[in-house]
């Protein structure tokens, strides 16, 4: 009968020592260099600073100038050296917002002046983050750039809430959409989004929660489909609201941005798999009570 003691002990082996040495080297040194006049488009991930890639951290510490959004957590901003020029170009309801064309111009101007420029965005810069638009402007201006991906909120926030995006018993696919919808010019394929046995993840959907709920139910999604709203996913203040699709509108009243809406049977697994933060169930369509 096999036991742990029968397996080879790699302690002290040259292979194990070599791997440990390589790991230490990765943690303390990066071969990648951000060059003067170059822009690094960096994904900050959903907020937990430990989810940053090594390359993202290295470039943040090399940059002369960092342009950042409101979604970049304070913990990540604290990793940037004190002598770095910080420029907030965020967009947030109720706050001063920098127009996109101004952000584009700042990137070009700083790069053309020879600065090492980092543009950091919450989550992944190519996932509903206008990263592609900003790079187009840089490409047209002949400015060199790199893209450092980040963990998108759909992957990070659900993982910290104990909600698998896919599961053989509940969801064979996952779809990501933005909640910035215009009801008068809605081009969403709601019949596709409302299909069962799939997970629907909605970014920036709080303000349109009533419309989203209405469309999904009208196109066939069951009213008792489990849902979760994950507020500040992966961060110390993470909060998870649990309910059903019929309660989406009322549940959204107790959440604040940034929040992610998750719809699908996989949400039922959160009570079993949740390991981080707290969850708040919806109780008889009244104010949620923390547990």
């Amino acid at each position: 009968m096999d036991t742990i003691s029968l397996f080879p002990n790699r302690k002290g082996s040259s292979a194990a020592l070599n791997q440990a040495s390589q790991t230490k080297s990765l943690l303390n040194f990066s071969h990648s260099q951000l060059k003067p006049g170059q822009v690094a488009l960096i994904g900050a991930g959903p907020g937990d600073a430990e989810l940053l890639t090594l390359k993202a951290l290295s470039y943040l510490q090399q940059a002369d100038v960092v342009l950042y959004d409101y979604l970049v957590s304070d913990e990540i901003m604290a990793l940037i050296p004190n002598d770095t020029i910080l420029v907030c170009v965020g967009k947030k309801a109720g706050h001063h917002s920098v127009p996109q064309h101004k952000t584009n111009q700042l990137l070009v101007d700083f790069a053309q002046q020879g600065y090492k420029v980092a543009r950091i965005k919450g989550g992944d810069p190519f996932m509903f983050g206008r990263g592609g638009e900003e790079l187009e402007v840089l490409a047209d201006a002949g400015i060199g750039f790199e893209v450092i991906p980040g963990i998108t909120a759909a992957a990070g926030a659900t993982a910290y809430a104990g909600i698998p995006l896919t599961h053989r018993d509940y969801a064979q696919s996952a779809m990501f959409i933005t909640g910035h919808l215009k009801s008068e010019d809605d081009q969403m394929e709601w019949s596709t989004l409302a299909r069962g046995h799939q997970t629907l993840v909605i970014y920036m959907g709080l303000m349109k929660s009533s419309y989203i709920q209405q469309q999904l139910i009208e196109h066939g999604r069951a009213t008792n489909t489990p849902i979760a709203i994950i507020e500040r996913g992966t961060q110390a203040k993470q909060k998870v609201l649990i309910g059903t699709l019929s309660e989406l509108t009322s549940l959204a009243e107790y959440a604040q941005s940034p929040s992610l809406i998750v719809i699908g049977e996989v949400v039922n697994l959160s009570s079993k798999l949740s390991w981080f933060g707290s969850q708040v169930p919806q109780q008889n369509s009244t104010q949620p009570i923390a547990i």
Side-chain angles (χ1 to χ4, degrees):
M1 181 177 179
D2 287 340
T3 65
I4 292 177
S5 62
L6 295 178
F7 287 90
N9 186 345
R10 298 176 65 241
K11 184 177 180 181
S13 69
S14 59
L17 291 173
N18 184 51
Q19 182 176 352
S21 176
Q22 290 178 346
T23 302
K24 184 177 180 180
S25 178
L26 282 174
L27 291 173
N28 293 283
F29 178 78
S30 174
H31 293 288
S32 299
Q33 296 294 315
L34 184 57
K35 301 173 183 176
Q38 186 181 40
V39 176
L41 179 62
I42 299 173
D48 185 344
E50 291 184 277
L51 296 180
L52 273 177
T53 65
L54 293 172
K55 191 169 188 176
L57 177 59
S58 173
Y59 275 17
L60 283 176
Q61 295 182 339
Q62 292 180 44
D64 302 316
V65 181
V66 174
L67 286 78
Y68 67 98
D69 288 345
Y70 287 115
L71 291 179
V72 181
S73 68
D74 292 340
E75 291 76 13
I76 291 175
M77 293 301 297
L79 298 173
I80 301 172
N82 293 331
D83 58 350
T84 304
I85 300 171
L86 297 179
V87 182
C88 180
V89 291
K91 299 172 181 61
K92 187 176 182 181
H95 292 72
H96 171 70
S97 295
V98 178
Q100 186 61 49
H101 70 86
K102 180 63 175 178
T103 299
N104 297 344
Q105 190 59 52
L106 285 170
L107 289 171
V108 172
D109 290 346
F110 279 122
Q112 288 181 339
Q113 293 175 44
Y115 288 99
K116 299 176 184 178
V117 184
R119 170 68 169 112
I120 186 167
K121 294 173 171 286
D124 182 87
F126 279 179
M127 184 66 74
F128 306 123
R130 301 188 183 182
E133 298 174 36
E134 293 177 7
L135 292 190
E136 284 187 278
V137 173
L138 296 177
D140 291 341
I143 293 170
F145 55 81
E146 290 188 35
V147 182
I148 296 87
I151 295 176
T152 187
T158 55
Y160 275 50
I163 302 174
L165 286 172
T166 62
H167 188 286
R168 288 193 297 172
D169 295 332
Y170 303 110
Q172 288 70 54
S173 62
M175 301 185 71
F176 305 161
I177 67 170
T178 174
H180 282 174
L181 307 170
K182 294 182 179 180
S183 55
E184 67 276 8
D185 186 29
D186 183 3
Q187 299 181 10
M188 290 289 186
E189 294 286 345
W190 287 105
S191 58
T192 300
L193 299 177
R195 290 183 309 194
H197 302 290
Q198 73 176 3
T199 305
L200 180 62
V201 181
I202 305 169
Y203 291 69
M204 301 168 286
L206 288 183
M207 295 184 66
K208 292 291 184 177
S209 59
S210 177
Y211 181 72
I212 292 168
Q213 174 183 313
Q214 173 193 350
Q215 291 300 311
L216 289 175
I217 293 175
E218 285 185 2
H219 287 83
R221 200 67 155 126
T223 57
N224 64 349
T225 301
I227 68 162
I229 300 177
I230 308 171
E231 179 183 317
R232 296 192 177 278
T234 80
Q235 300 182 42
K237 295 182 179 179
Q238 172 180 296
K239 180 173 70 174
V240 183
L241 307 174
I242 300 292
T244 63
L245 181 56
S246 64
E247 299 166 326
L248 175 58
T249 302
S250 58
L251 207 60
E253 295 178 1
Y254 301 103
Q256 297 180 350
S257 296
S259 289
L260 195 76
I261 299 173
V262 185
I263 299 172
E265 288 73 17
V266 291
V267 172
N268 280 333
L269 291 168
S270 63
S271 60
K272 184 177 183 180
L273 304 182
S274 176
W275 60 273
F276 180 85
S278 62
Q279 298 204 25
V280 184
Q282 180 75 348
Q283 307 229 345
N284 300 322
S285 298
T286 58
Q287 182 172 346
I289 302 175
I291 58 172

